[in-house]
Amino acid sequence: MQAGQCWQCESPAENNLFCKFCNSLQRPLTDYYAFFGLEHKLNIDNEDLQRRFYQLSKLLHPDRYTRRAQRERDYSLEATAILNDGYRVLRDPVKRAEYILAEQGFEVGEQRAKDVPPELLEEVFELNMALEELVSGASSVRPQLEEARSRFRAMRREADERLGDLYKLWDASGERDSLVAVRGELNRRKYIENLITEVEKALSA
Ligand SMILES: [Zn+2]
């Protein structure tokens, strides 16, 4: 068998999940977009993705493979893992963008998200003071923290809007500069997200 051929009947397989001639399951593509048959875009239609997910779930259901060749059973397990991981990543706009960034050779890690965005320096300083006061028993800072929480939530919404615009830009142009901007906004969003988690934890303690 050569690459690009069906392992069963040796017809051209053309990267399809199922052979068009003998219908046997092929080795699945590991790229999430390719697996779902989607173009590499940052904006995707979530309903369309969901339809593809359900359709593939049906086609890959374990019951269909119990009496098939071992090779097909192995491929069906591989494909099911890619299906579930891919769906989890692609339906989430942030994880999806991180996936594209990683594919395009960008470093995406927690570390970069730890640098305080300059315009938030003062805000973060005051927040940390208030959090410390709360820990040492000063419940009078609660309203201040609640206010901070709604401010950060509003910032997260704004970041999501900006990301939506940047996604459109990259989808239309494919220019690396717009991905750099996406990464910057994602890091900022992640930083804000961490602040929200911290404040929520303190307020619910
Ligand atoms: Zn075949």
Side-chain angles (χ1 to χ4, degrees):
M1 182 191 79
Q2 287 173 8
Q5 278 187 338
C6 170
W7 61 272
Q8 182 86 281
C9 73
E10 299 190 359
S11 305
E14 293 162 8
N15 282 341
N16 292 313
L17 193 53
F18 295 92
C19 172
K20 275 191 269 184
F21 301 93
C22 73
N23 205 33
S24 57
L25 182 61
Q26 306 297 301
R27 181 189 288 282
L29 297 169
T30 54
D31 178 274
Y32 295 156
Y33 280 89
F35 183 85
F36 279 90
L38 295 168
E39 279 182 88
H40 285 69
K41 299 280 183 196
L42 284 171
N43 274 311
I44 63 176
D45 177 349
N46 271 335
E47 278 177 29
D48 174 51
L49 176 70
Q50 197 183 48
R51 270 194 300 274
R52 287 166 193 260
F53 173 75
Y54 287 131
Q55 194 187 9
L56 287 163
S57 302
K58 261 188 243 164
L59 294 173
L60 291 170
H61 195 279
D63 287 354
R64 298 172 81 110
Y65 297 91
T66 47
R67 287 188 297 189
R68 305 296 278 268
Q70 180 63 42
R71 187 154 178 162
E72 269 190 290
R73 274 183 281 158
D74 291 346
Y75 284 166
S76 77
L77 293 178
E78 263 179 62
T80 300
I82 297 167
L83 174 75
N84 291 322
D85 293 347
Y87 187 51
R88 190 175 46 78
V89 166
L90 292 183
R91 74 179 166 185
D92 179 322
V94 169
K95 292 199 178 85
R96 188 162 72 224
E98 285 171 345
Y99 186 74
I100 294 251
L101 284 167
E103 269 193 337
Q104 298 289 324
F106 283 88
E107 209 183 302
V108 269
E110 278 296 318
Q111 197 50 47
R112 289 193 60 97
K114 287 202 175 81
D115 305 327
V116 190
E119 77 281 10
L120 288 179
L121 273 173
E122 201 178 317
E123 185 106 27
V124 170
F125 179 74
E126 277 171 25
L127 175 70
N128 286 334
M129 299 266 285
L131 286 171
E132 268 173 46
E133 280 179 56
L134 188 68
V135 169
S136 55
S139 57
S140 58
V141 295
R142 289 188 75 90
Q144 193 192 330
L145 286 172
E146 278 160 11
E147 205 189 303
R149 181 178 56 190
S150 37
R151 227 171 20 249
F152 294 139
R153 282 177 179 166
M155 283 182 203
R156 184 173 54 186
R157 278 196 299 276
E158 285 161 21
D160 285 338
E161 278 168 29
R162 270 197 298 274
L163 276 174
D165 291 341
L166 291 171
Y167 287 4
K168 274 185 215 153
L169 204 62
W170 188 73
D171 286 348
S173 72
E175 278 170 11
R176 201 169 172 81
D177 281 357
S178 50
L179 272 190
V180 173
V182 166
R183 185 184 56 179
E185 194 59 49
L186 277 180
N187 285 337
R188 192 171 172 278
R189 189 196 186 279
K190 194 171 271 179
Y191 191 88
I192 294 166
E193 177 93 3
N194 289 341
L195 289 178
I196 294 171
T197 309
E198 219 178 315
V199 176
E200 281 174 347
K201 211 168 85 186
L203 283 171
S204 65

